Amino acid sequence: MDEPAAIGRRVQRLRAERALTQRQLAEPVYTPAYISTLESGRVRPSEAALRFLAGRLGTSYEELATGRPARLATELRLALTDAQRALATGAADEAAVLFRRLLTDAEQLDLDPERAEALLGLGECALEGGELGDAIRHFESAERLLGHEPLPRRVRAVRGRAVAHLLAGELRYACYLLETSIDELNSGGLGDPEALVLLYAAVIGPYMDMGAHARAAHAAELALALAPQVQDPALVAGMHRQVARTFLAEGRTADADASLAKAQAVYRQLSLRTDLAHCHWMRGYVQAQRGELVEAEVQLRTARDMLAAKRATLYTAQVEVELADVLRRLGRYDEATGLMSALLELDERHGAVHAGGAHRLLGLIAEERGDVEGAEEQYVRALALLERSGADGDLADLCRLLGDLLRRAGRTESALDVYRTGLGHRAVPGTTTLGPAPAAPAGAPSAPRDPD
């Protein structure tokens, strides 16, 4: 709301344009003296008074309070749903252009909620493009804008930040961000299905890479159990957008805003397909560990197809390393190798853990084909990517593979050096940064104890 003097001048101008006296504007609720005091800027009007006067003056509360035509704000919200639709359906490049323009518009109109939505959109676009530094900056800015909001409103920013840190190899910090938020939601009675699905799906990645497989499986099951409460009817979202356009054309900005709010909620749910794909990935991983390779292939292909449909290139590549490993174990070496091209393009800033996994897998394939030199080269490349990632379990396993390879080749001293390196990175299964698992939602089973 503007300062009293600015509001008073606005009321006086609009009253004069409509040829109303102060008495005509005031009655039957207020007095002419109150209108005179308001117009002179000597009193700050209440929201109730401004809504009454807006109705008498034939304008909106927002325009009377801020000087900003309500139509401009509604048009901005409509454009935001267009950008969210583009992102939800996979056109991240197009969406980024829209979000950047809308961020500028929201700043000019001083609309903080819309600025936050634009920043969240830019963060998601940056994540899908692998620009992790940009993603972190956008999510941090959105979180600052939403600092006064309850946690469910801020979860998208927290989750985005955590995923960016995870992809950058900062596993423990990502885990800390996510577990803290899950605990706060469930312990504080703020359990929101959409917020919890976002957090549970996002925490699977760091749990997996840190060796906390029991926690990862439990998080996946909780997320999939909540998923039916956050379905993604894209057709309904499109309907709400079109209805909003009709209302706006008729000058019914309040009705248009209501429809846009419904459309935005659906597009947020549409973006959950990425997170639910991670849950299918987790199921496939667990099945692969049990030796259920055919079933694992089905789950991993489901996850990969869901992500590819959204053109989530980085996430798709990450799931493909697990799928390629299943194909290798099924003896389908050529198919497994064919999946590795996208992962080999990832670098230390854009998915070090998964790029390292791709080189490890190519090393296994080379070793099983009798190419000792090629296997060593791939293992060494994987070690270089994983050394600073914090993925201790993966490092220890890789050192074991490389040490065994060197030992069989008669290079005993080199093998011993590699084994010693692996022992330095040995992780306790189930270890995370916070010790006990975060609280589960009310009525849900608690997480199983991590194995010793």
Side-chain angles (χ1 to χ4, degrees):
M1 185 183 295
D2 283 347
E3 291 301 311
I7 295 173
R9 288 192 297 271
R10 199 172 297 130
V11 170
Q12 186 178 44
R13 175 178 57 79
L14 291 170
R15 180 176 62 79
E17 288 175 359
R18 288 151 179 75
L20 294 173
T21 65
Q22 290 180 338
R23 182 178 299 279
Q24 288 171 326
L25 177 59
E27 292 180 342
V29 179
Y30 297 97
T31 66
Y34 175 74
I35 300 300
S36 176
T37 303
L38 188 156
E39 290 182 348
S40 66
R42 297 197 302 272
V43 65
R44 175 177 291 278
S46 66
E47 179 180 337
L50 281 184
R51 291 194 181 280
F52 169 79
L53 294 175
R56 298 285 288 169
L57 292 167
T59 188
S60 68
Y61 163 78
E62 183 175 29
E63 184 167 0
L64 199 58
T66 66
R68 182 173 55 240
R71 184 182 181 89
L72 290 181
T74 302
E75 286 176 347
L76 176 60
R77 294 177 192 118
L78 180 57
L80 274 169
T81 66
D82 290 339
Q84 289 160 343
R85 178 196 57 79
L87 178 59
T89 55
D93 291 341
E94 174 190 340
V97 172
L98 293 172
F99 281 125
R100 278 192 291 271
R101 190 188 76 219
L102 295 170
L103 177 61
T104 300
D105 292 345
E107 288 171 344
Q108 291 174 346
L109 293 172
D110 197 26
L111 293 171
D112 281 351
E114 286 68 30
R115 285 176 62 195
E117 283 296 328
L119 285 164
L120 288 168
L122 284 171
E124 293 294 342
C125 293
L127 270 185
E128 293 203 5
E131 300 301 326
L132 304 182
D134 289 343
I136 290 170
R137 285 191 292 275
H138 291 317
F139 288 126
E140 286 177 341
S141 297
E143 197 170 357
R144 282 194 296 271
L145 281 171
L146 298 170
H148 61 287
E149 298 282 353
L151 180 57
R153 180 75 176 86
R154 292 181 276 115
V155 155
R156 290 165 60 211
V158 174
R159 173 259 184 199
R161 217 160 38 98
V163 170
H165 284 292
L166 167 64
L167 296 178
E170 300 166 13
L171 309 182
R172 296 184 184 278
Y173 186 58
C175 190
Y176 166 77
L177 288 173
L178 295 165
E179 284 195 338
T180 301
S181 296
I182 290 170
D183 241 348
E184 186 176 343
L185 279 173
N186 287 330
S187 300
L190 297 173
D192 176 282
E194 181 179 321
L196 286 171
V197 169
L198 283 171
L199 294 172
Y200 281 129
V203 83
I204 289 170
Y207 279 161
M208 292 280 290
D209 291 334
M210 294 171 71
H213 298 156
R215 290 197 188 186
H218 187 63
E221 292 305 321
L222 289 173
L224 290 169
L226 290 165
Q229 300 179 52
V230 284
Q231 292 298 316
D232 54 353
L235 291 177
V236 174
M239 178 271 292
H240 284 306
R241 286 174 59 248
Q242 293 306 317
V243 168
R245 291 183 190 280
T246 301
F247 284 149
L248 192 58
E250 295 174 352
R252 297 166 59 186
T253 54
D255 291 333
D257 276 341
S259 286
L260 289 175
K262 295 174 184 176
Q264 285 181 316
V266 173
Y267 285 127
R268 286 196 297 271
Q269 292 165 12
L270 276 168
S271 70
L272 291 175
R273 287 185 65 80
T274 298
D275 301 279
L276 294 175
H278 279 273
C279 298
H280 285 287
W281 161 55
M282 178 62 216
R283 278 184 169 169
Y285 176 86
V286 170
Q287 289 169 337
Q289 295 305 300
R290 294 172 180 162
E292 301 166 359
L293 300 182
V294 174
E295 295 84 351
E297 181 183 356
V298 172
Q299 289 292 331
L300 293 170
R301 286 194 184 279
T302 298
R304 195 271 304 270
D305 292 346
M306 289 173 70
L307 293 166
K310 284 190 85 264
R311 304 179 197 172
T313 306
L314 184 60
Y315 293 144
T316 303
Q318 293 165 5
V319 173
E320 284 176 342
V321 73
E322 302 291 349
L323 176 58
D325 192 37
V326 168
L327 295 174
R328 175 192 69 83
R329 292 168 63 186
L330 288 168
R332 292 151 62 182
Y333 292 139
D334 291 340
E335 287 182 67
T337 302
L339 285 174
M340 292 298 97
S341 57
L343 282 160
L344 295 179
E345 294 175 3
L346 301 177
D347 60 23
E348 197 167 341
R349 293 181 302 110
H350 300 145
V353 171
H354 303 282
H359 284 292
R360 171 189 175 279
L361 180 55
L362 288 173
L364 283 170
I365 291 173
E367 187 173 353
E368 290 170 6
R369 285 177 160 174
D371 181 4
V372 175
E373 184 177 335
E376 181 180 353
E377 179 184 354
Q378 295 295 341
Y379 290 153
V380 169
R381 288 184 179 180
L383 276 174
L385 284 164
L386 293 174
E387 274 180 337
R388 292 186 297 278
S389 70
D392 291 339
D394 289 345
L395 272 165
D397 175 65
L398 193 56
C399 287
R400 177 187 60 79
L401 289 172
L402 179 56
D404 289 350
L405 182 73
L406 295 173
R407 179 175 53 79
R408 285 193 296 269
R411 297 160 60 185
T412 306
E413 288 301 319
S414 296
L416 285 172
D417 287 341
V418 173
Y419 286 141
R420 291 188 190 102
T421 300
L423 286 172
H425 289 288
R426 186 178 179 186
V428 177
T431 298
T432 67
T433 54
L434 297 184
S446 298
R449 289 179 57 85
D450 294 318
D452 295 325

